[in-house]
Amino acid sequence: MKIQIINGPNLNLLGVREPSVYGKMGFNDYLAQLRVAYPQVEIDYYQNNSEGELINKIHEVGFSCDGVVLNAGAYTHTSVALLDAIKAVSSPVIEVHISNVHQREEFRHHSIISAGCKGVICGFGLDSYRLAIEAILQAKNSLQ
Ligand code: DQA
């Protein structure tokens, strides 16, 4: 079982960036907790601030892993290219957001990438990532 987490722009600054919105924990600390909680799952992590690099990563892993957990950051609201990349691959992609984007500025209410994703989880803080992993595991188990 292999799950790829992909974080987009500015998410390298988790723990430092707007802690009132995104919390005080850095992603590496959270990732360590996730790996302890799911020893049976290989959880790979990738972060990049560039749209093209995120697309390259989706192409690279999107035909072989069991699921992609994608927080595309602000590209969520702008990137047709990311939507196309998500639609191009065969692995299910779960869109996640740490904050509840619907409680925030109006420009965050619309996601361009949701149309290509299997589902969307937002508003649960870093726990949004765990919930996405649960969704991937649940879908996989219900097929067996
Ligand atoms: C975010 C929400 C986006 O609107 C924002 O641009 C981010 C983070 C979230 O996780 O809540 O960078 O994806």
Side-chain angles (χ1 to χ4, degrees):
M1 188 79 186
K2 196 168 176 165
I3 292 178
Q4 175 75 51
I5 297 177
I6 301 178
N7 271 344
N10 302 306
L11 293 164
N12 52 312
L13 294 181
L14 282 176
V16 176
R17 169 196 188 199
E18 297 182 83
S20 60
V21 179
Y22 300 112
K24 291 192 185 127
M25 187 179 270
F27 200 79
N28 283 336
D29 290 341
Y30 178 68
L31 188 60
Q33 289 182 11
L34 269 184
R35 286 180 171 145
V36 169
Y38 295 96
Q40 75 281 26
V41 183
E42 183 182 334
I43 303 174
D44 292 335
Y45 177 58
Y46 179 79
Q47 190 279 329
N48 204 284
N49 292 320
S50 306
E51 189 176 10
E53 294 304 329
L54 298 173
I55 291 166
N56 287 339
K57 193 67 184 178
I58 291 169
H59 291 176
E60 182 194 319
V61 302
F63 295 95
S64 56
C65 68
D66 296 289
V68 176
V69 177
L70 172 64
N71 186 345
Y75 295 139
T76 302
H77 317 294
T78 62
S79 180
V80 175
L82 263 180
L83 169 64
D84 288 347
I86 293 164
K87 286 168 100 169
V89 298
S90 53
S91 302
V93 178
I94 315 289
E95 175 183 347
V96 302
H97 301 284
I98 297 163
S99 63
N100 181 347
V101 286
H102 301 288
Q103 287 176 341
R104 301 182 63 194
E105 304 97 318
E106 203 165 333
F107 64 84
R108 296 186 204 274
H109 295 184
H110 181 65
S111 165
I112 288 183
I113 67 170
S114 294
C117 291
K118 188 163 169 55
V120 182
I121 297 169
C122 84
F124 296 96
L126 288 174
D127 202 38
S128 294
Y129 293 87
R130 185 190 62 81
L131 292 167
I133 289 173
E134 280 295 330
I136 293 166
L137 294 177
Q138 192 63 42
K140 195 91 184 160
N141 289 337
S142 65
L143 290 175
Q144 282 165 3

